[in-house]
Amino acid sequence: MADAPRPTAGIDTPDRRGRTGLDRHGRDLDGNPRVRIRDVEVLSSDWFVLRKTTFDYRHSDGHWSREQRETYDRGDGATVLLYDERRRTVLLTRQFRLPAYVNGHPDGMLLETAAGLLDDDDPETAIRREAAEETGHEIGEVRHVFAVYMSPGSVTERLHFFAAPYESPPRAGTHGVAAEGEDITAVELPFAEALAMIRTGGIADAKTVMLLQWAALEGPFAR
């Protein structure tokens, strides 16, 4: 007699984040009549979730094909550009990013706007939390700028973009949640210098580039 299949963490039993049923995500989607979800397989759920989805797709000429795509689900996130309109400065963060380091960045130390995952919070609550953790600043009124999918070919994350004023220079020392291995430095730059660093490659983080360009075109530093 064959042994019963062993239960799988994240599907039959809770994984280390207490989740089950991760293979059901997306199976009930019916918003696009050209897409029929056939199967969802969980490849990994160590912390975030990597899935392989099989679906039928009706092409523009009417024929159907069977397709497979992998999606990486890390939840949605939020980011904020902190700016001082009077002094014409912005407050960014610098931290090590392994994926950038292994893909050609000289040292992996990226200049970025403060950001983080929503977890169980709404976007505004989350970005207030992240700004305090990463820069040491409690921010006041925030402006929601837009929300976009940052890498829709493979990553499910939708990122909410905010802007908020700050008044005092960054505090010395490092920031972040030590238990999560964060070692973050707050960096204040003249806005013109930060904008120029996009062209030179000194700022190579997409969300930061988007917010700096927004600030120049429509935001606090628009002419």
Side-chain angles (χ1 to χ4, degrees):
M1 187 177 193
D3 293 336
R6 297 179 63 182
T8 302
I11 298 176
D12 311 297
T13 59
D15 64 7
R16 66 173 179 155
R17 299 187 71 179
R19 301 169 300 193
T20 59
L22 295 178
D23 61 328
R24 295 196 293 272
H25 185 79
R27 289 181 180 270
D28 58 350
L29 292 174
D30 59 4
N32 189 339
R34 296 171 61 173
V35 178
R36 298 172 180 169
I37 305 296
R38 296 303 185 188
D39 187 46
V40 179
E41 179 184 356
V42 176
L43 303 179
S44 174
S45 64
D46 181 53
W47 191 251
F48 304 127
V49 186
L50 179 64
R51 298 180 177 90
K52 181 171 70 175
T53 300
T54 303
F55 61 97
D56 293 337
Y57 181 77
R58 181 168 59 83
H59 295 257
S60 298
D61 63 4
H63 85 275
W64 289 85
S65 66
R66 179 67 53 93
E67 308 289 342
Q68 287 186 330
R69 298 289 187 275
E70 291 183 4
T71 58
Y72 190 54
D73 183 357
R74 60 193 302 271
D76 291 342
T79 186
V80 63
L81 177 66
L82 300 180
Y83 64 89
D84 186 324
E85 191 170 2
R86 180 183 61 83
R87 295 190 299 129
R88 297 189 67 82
T89 58
V90 292
L91 187 60
L92 304 178
T93 66
R94 179 183 282 117
Q95 60 182 305
F96 177 68
R97 296 298 198 183
L98 177 65
Y101 188 44
V102 301
N103 194 31
H105 192 277
D107 59 8
M109 303 298 292
L110 265 62
L111 279 170
E112 307 177 32
T113 50
L117 296 179
L118 304 187
D119 294 326
D120 295 324
D121 290 329
D122 62 87
E124 183 175 326
T125 300
I127 202 52
R128 291 182 183 279
R129 179 194 70 223
E130 293 298 327
E133 290 178 356
E134 296 191 359
T135 72
H137 283 263
E138 299 289 340
I139 57 177
E141 183 178 357
V142 299
R143 174 179 177 182
H144 189 268
V145 180
F146 42 69
V148 301
Y149 295 95
M150 294 297 290
S151 186
S154 57
V155 182
T156 62
E157 180 184 19
R158 181 170 57 176
L159 191 63
H160 296 265
F161 287 67
F162 292 88
Y166 76 100
E167 296 180 355
S168 58
R171 300 173 185 171
T174 58
H175 305 282
V177 180
E180 297 177 6
E182 293 182 337
D183 183 18
I184 300 171
T185 304
V187 179
E188 185 176 61
L189 292 172
F191 175 70
E193 180 181 340
L195 203 61
M197 291 175 72
I198 297 173
R199 291 186 289 274
T200 64
I203 290 179
D205 170 67
K207 64 182 180 294
T208 308
V209 171
M210 294 166 70
L211 275 172
L212 289 172
Q213 292 182 337
W214 165 83
L217 294 172
E218 301 180 27
F221 305 114
R223 294 177 180 175

